[in-house]
Amino acid sequence: MYDDATQPLPVVGPQPGRTRRAPETPNPTPGRSRRTEADSARRRADKRRTAGKRDRGEGKPERTDAQRERDKRLRLAGRGIMALVATGVMGITGVVWYGETTLDQGFTRSGAISPEDVNLDGDINMLLIGLDTRKDLNGNDLPKEILDQLHAGDGTEGGYNANSLILVHIPKDLKHIVAFSIPRDDYVAVQGIPGYDHAKIKESYGLKKYTVEEKLKAKGMAEGPELERQGREAGRASIVQTVKALTGVPINRFAEISLAGFYDLATALGGVDVCLNHAVDDSYYSGAQFPAGPQHLDGSDALAFVRQRHGLENGDLDRTHRQQAFLTSVANAMKGSGTLANPVRLKALIDVAHKDVVLSDGWSLTDFASTLGRAESPTVEFRTLPVLRYDTVDGQDVNIIDPVAIKKTVREAFGVSTPAAPSAPATTPTSTLDVVNASGTPGQAAKVSKLLNAKGFPPGDVGNASYADGTTSTVYYGTGADTDAKQLSEMFGGLPVSPSTEVSSGHVKLVVGSDLEIPPTLDPTAATTSPTTTAGGTATTAAATDATTSDAPDSGKPVTTTIGSKIPCVN
């Protein structure tokens, strides 16, 4: 799946043979790395090369070098460019610094933000989403001339994956902005999606959209703009809620841009300045062929720059650093070039924004940009959420993460206090507690069960986790046990909580993974041996350093910059 040109198209609903009634994470493969291309990927590549020859057909006129070069450049705007689309929103906000006052009037608006999160006492927590779809906002296929430029097929392909997710914190004092890139393959708990309690975070949008649309069609709603609108609204609310649950911080601003929108914006900007630590040659997959050092890339080459993951030391994680570098470059270009002083180009940018960008209700870009304009040159720190390891679920590569450590890291970066874990449930539990061991350490389930029984949780079954239970610590619950499940989660610092039809009514099921940290409030003698995450985003394990290998995921050190400063060099 790491070849954008051949990745199965985004899932918009459960596929045959791909029902996730519970997270199905197998035992991790020691030393598994994305640096080495799997044999299966090479076989797929061989098939693609053969298919490409068949597609060209025999007897057709020989194509010229110019035609081949044209097609190569068009391929660069194809599948996978959505890893960067959300960043274009930041550039568009710059136009109001130059006196444009009509910008706010033409956007499509979304009610995805929870009412209780709208006012954060002057702070802004903004989720930028790049949506992979070949449809316009009304659900219609993009015009053929656009699809041809994007090399995106005939419009029947594709789904609604949130392939780019960037959570930005702008404090009211405007002194230090922090932006977290969220790897799109992070395997997270999801809510309200029948058949799924975990999924890749990027799928939270499309799966919820599909679910809601199927219900609406069953009630008689026909295909059309209203069905598309309601489906997308459900998807937006789902992805916002999923990111909020993962990071533990409220979100009060939201922006979404689609495939065609990013293409339009990248073209209007006329390319970007980038800097590479090493020369790269990924001509077959992404088309990226660049020397080391600083350079200016046109729109097509910029897409190749952000698409590449083959040949990079940390695959998709290194690609998040390219997103961050690109965002810096876009902001610099908007500030320093003549784009905003050119009425024709300015109008083109505004038209693209109104056509392709969706904003949360009540968000005035005019006020937003005026606020940012008061800051002389705020520092911007880019981070990437850490990944513990890579694994495979239902035949798909996923990122296994530590949700508790992620909450702690994001909250600290955003200046949000982490509530102390309660030492006991607030109300007497009535649900039976089943505990299963997925940690690989014998006796962990029995130990945790005994500790929780002493805190008032009625004892249930204790045993080893099955394949379907997964390997990460999670709290599942059956009908009527939601309150006790949430109390249990809070006692461990905020474990993911999810309803499950596989858990009996009145039962709570705790999966004890190797990532579970037993707090001193439960067991004062417990050693701190669980994975923790440093501020820089590197996952470590105090008592298991021998398990760390050179193939472990590396989300990299934070990149700190200021708008107008030198473009950071990346892999």
Side-chain angles (χ1 to χ4, degrees), residues 8 36 40 71 80 97 100 140 146 184 214 239 258 403 413 421 570:
T36 303
S40 59
D71 291 344
W97 286 336
E100 175 57 52
N140 301 313
I146 298 297
R184 62 181 187 168
E214 289 301 297
I239 195 69
S258 65
V570 295

Side-chain angles (χ1 to χ4, degrees), residues 207-522:
L207 291 174
K208 185 65 175 181
K209 178 181 184 295
Y210 173 85
T211 297
V212 168
E213 288 182 352
E214 289 301 297
K215 290 181 179 179
L216 291 173
K217 287 191 285 187
K219 294 179 180 180
M221 182 174 288
E223 296 277 358
E226 182 58 22
L227 181 68
E228 182 76 5
R229 186 192 69 80
Q230 292 196 36
R232 287 203 187 188
E233 273 295 273
R236 292 166 188 141
S238 177
I239 195 69
V240 169
Q241 180 58 39
T242 301
V243 173
K244 178 181 174 181
L246 172 66
T247 59
V249 297
I251 298 171
N252 65 342
R253 297 290 187 273
F254 167 90
E256 169 191 302
I257 186 170
S258 65
L259 182 71
F262 177 69
Y263 180 81
D264 291 340
L265 287 172
T267 300
L269 286 172
V272 296
D273 293 324
V274 304
C275 180
L276 286 172
N277 290 322
H278 314 286
V280 296
D281 185 352
D282 187 39
S283 54
Y284 180 76
Y285 291 103
S286 66
Q289 292 179 282
F290 309 124
Q295 53 208 284
H296 183 81
L297 304 181
D298 64 16
S300 294
D301 283 343
L303 297 179
F305 170 79
V306 300
R307 286 182 64 206
Q308 185 185 0
R309 59 172 76 121
H310 284 280
L312 301 182
E313 293 182 10
N314 288 282
D316 229 16
L317 296 182
D318 276 343
R319 196 166 77 159
T320 66
H321 302 153
R322 292 191 177 195
Q323 296 176 19
Q324 296 162 1
F326 184 89
L327 177 54
T328 301
S329 183
V330 167
N332 287 354
M334 296 296 291
K335 180 178 181 180
S337 73
T339 298
L340 301 177
N342 183 322
V344 175
R345 182 168 289 185
L346 177 59
K347 183 179 186 304
L349 284 172
I350 294 175
D351 289 345
V352 167
H354 287 165
K355 181 179 67 172
D356 298 316
V357 176
V358 178
L359 297 179
S360 53
D361 285 336
W363 184 10
S364 168
L365 287 191
T366 303
D367 293 343
F368 173 66
S370 297
T371 299
L372 288 183
R374 294 198 300 269
E376 287 293 329
S377 186
T379 60
V380 183
E381 182 180 7
F382 293 106
R383 302 189 188 184
T384 300
L385 291 187
V387 173
L388 289 179
R389 67 178 186 275
Y390 303 128
D391 217 321
T392 304
V393 176
D394 293 339
Q396 295 190 100
D397 290 327
V398 301
N399 301 330
I400 301 301
I401 59 174
D402 182 348
V404 174
I406 283 176
K407 286 184 176 68
K408 181 179 179 181
T409 298
V410 175
R411 283 170 170 166
E412 288 178 352
F414 285 16
V416 178
S417 60
T418 300
S423 59
T427 60
T428 302
T430 59
S431 306
T432 301
L433 175 62
D434 302 321
V435 184
V436 295
N437 187 8
S439 69
T441 302
Q444 277 295 91
K447 176 182 178 179
V448 172
S449 178
K450 183 177 179 180
L451 292 172
L452 292 171
N453 297 159
K455 297 294 184 179
F457 285 90
D461 296 333
V462 176
N464 291 322
S466 68
Y467 175 85
D469 291 321
T471 60
T472 55
S473 300
T474 308
V475 178
Y476 298 105
Y477 63 90
T479 304
D482 55 327
T483 299
D484 290 340
K486 292 175 183 177
Q487 291 192 115
L488 178 60
S489 168
E490 291 170 357
M491 292 175 67
F492 285 95
L495 291 178
V497 180
S498 182
S500 175
T501 57
E502 300 301 303
V503 177
S504 301
S505 176
H507 280 241
V508 172
K509 183 177 185 178
L510 172 62
V511 178
V512 177
S514 59
D515 58 325
L516 185 71
E517 180 175 358
I518 300 176
T521 53
L522 275 181

Side-chain angles (χ1 to χ4, degrees), residues 134-156:
R134 279 88 166 152
K135 308 286 185 179
D136 65 16
L137 287 173
N138 291 321
N140 301 313
D141 290 344
L142 296 175
K144 185 177 184 303
E145 58 270 21
I146 298 297
L147 291 172
D148 288 344
Q149 293 178 55
L150 299 178
H151 201 69
D154 61 5
T156 60

